[in-house]
Amino acid sequence: ARTGNMTAGRGGVSWQPSDHQSYYVSASNSFNPSGELGVYAGTAQTPLTVVTQNLDPEENRNIEVGAQWEIGRGLQLRSALFQTEKINQRIQDSTTNVLVLAGKRRVQGLELQLAGSLTPNWDLYSGVAFMDGEIVKATANQGNTPLGVADVAGNVWTVYRLGGGWEVGGGLNFNGGWWANDANNTEVPSYVVADATVAYVQQKYEIRLNLYNLTDEVYYIGAYQNSGNRVLPGMPRAASLTARYNFD
């Protein structure tokens, strides 16, 4: 067993020079303990041992600068530059082979979002993130890309209201692929998945049919224990029919 006490916080400043634009800066930190479940770290058991029980949690720091602009009457464009760092990653000391909090990894990126109404009956929601990750300091794999960091990932979704309560929509989710481990020798391939929806919407109730992975794309959302021997597949072609009633 181990008990750790850490202080995490967040703060930001925003500036809105007009009704159609705003800007912000924010910073935050977080922690993950040295005894967290290690499925994503290469073992199905907790790594809490007589060695790790003496290690403080790893600290993560995030800085973000962003802006939002209104385009026309219905669309909003949002953008953000961000940097996330793990400043004291657990690594093995190259001399003693003992775990120490001396590593560092970093992800920097740009995020763009465009959302709103193209017309009174046509809505659009979209976003994309471009990321660059690096293992800054480590005993092994220094200079590589951290596992799980895609170069690009995003989605686009649109809904059109036909009138009389009927609406249709669809969109794409895409990912540029990423490395399953820090050694960068097992790559999860890129994918594009298409979804769709059709619904009958009234004030008191709604009936909706959602269709997932229309082309039955074979894709993967991860690799179990960071190994290409056992991958985690994404959802195959599927459908769901839901009904909602509002009692208010």
Side-chain angles (χ1 to χ4, degrees):
R2 167 172 167 62
T3 300
N5 297 292
M6 296 289 166
T7 300
R10 59 182 179 178
V13 177
S14 61
W15 177 50
Q16 187 173 350
S18 71
D19 293 338
H20 305 290
Q21 57 181 320
S22 62
Y23 306 88
Y24 71 90
V25 177
S26 68
S28 63
N29 72 327
S30 63
F31 297 90
N32 56 282
S34 296
E36 83 274 27
L37 186 63
V39 171
Y40 204 51
T43 173
Q45 292 79 37
T46 172
L48 188 61
T49 65
V50 292
V51 176
T52 58
Q53 70 178 357
N54 295 318
L55 289 176
D56 289 332
E58 297 175 319
E59 182 178 0
N60 314 288
R61 295 178 180 176
N62 183 76
I63 300 175
E64 188 171 312
V65 179
Q68 176 178 297
W69 303 274
E70 289 191 9
I71 303 175
R73 295 183 177 181
L75 285 175
Q76 290 183 335
L77 175 63
R78 303 182 184 94
S79 65
L81 291 169
F82 62 88
Q83 175 178 284
T84 300
E85 283 187 317
K86 185 180 291 292
I87 66 169
N88 60 343
Q89 181 191 351
R90 296 187 297 272
I91 62 173
Q92 281 189 321
D93 186 280
S94 58
T95 303
T96 64
N97 290 326
V98 175
L99 284 178
V100 293
L101 296 176
K104 178 184 285 189
R105 60 182 57 204
R106 175 189 303 131
V107 177
Q108 297 173 323
L110 167 67
E111 184 179 31
L112 299 171
Q113 293 181 337
L114 182 64
S117 299
L118 297 171
T119 70
N121 293 328
W122 188 8
D123 296 336
L124 174 69
Y125 310 92
S126 62
V128 61
F130 302 93
M131 293 170 284
D132 178 58
E134 181 184 1
I135 300 174
V136 180
K137 184 179 180 181
T139 307
N141 305 316
Q142 184 167 311
N144 287 2
T145 301
L147 64 90
V149 179
D151 291 335
V152 59
N155 62 80
V156 58
W157 181 261
T158 184
V159 174
Y160 190 83
R161 290 176 288 278
L162 300 171
W166 289 98
E167 65 178 43
V168 295
L172 302 173
N173 291 288
F174 55 91
N175 192 297
W178 66 93
W179 296 107
N181 52 34
D182 289 342
N184 291 178
N185 57 23
T186 301
E187 186 174 10
V188 179
S190 61
Y191 64 82
V192 178
V193 176
D195 302 325
T197 187
V198 58
Y200 183 67
V201 182
Q202 295 296 311
Q203 184 176 0
K204 298 291 292 184
Y205 66 92
E206 171 186 310
I207 300 174
R208 180 175 298 275
L209 174 65
N210 286 314
L211 304 172
Y212 308 101
N213 195 356
L214 295 176
T215 62
D216 205 20
E217 175 79 8
V218 178
Y219 67 103
Y220 307 100
I221 59 175
Y224 186 70
Q225 296 185 359
N226 309 332
S227 170
N229 297 328
R230 292 184 288 177
V231 293
L232 304 176
M235 180 186 291
R237 183 186 292 124
S240 67
L241 181 64
T242 59
R244 179 184 59 85
Y245 187 84
N246 181 13
F247 289 94
D248 293 336

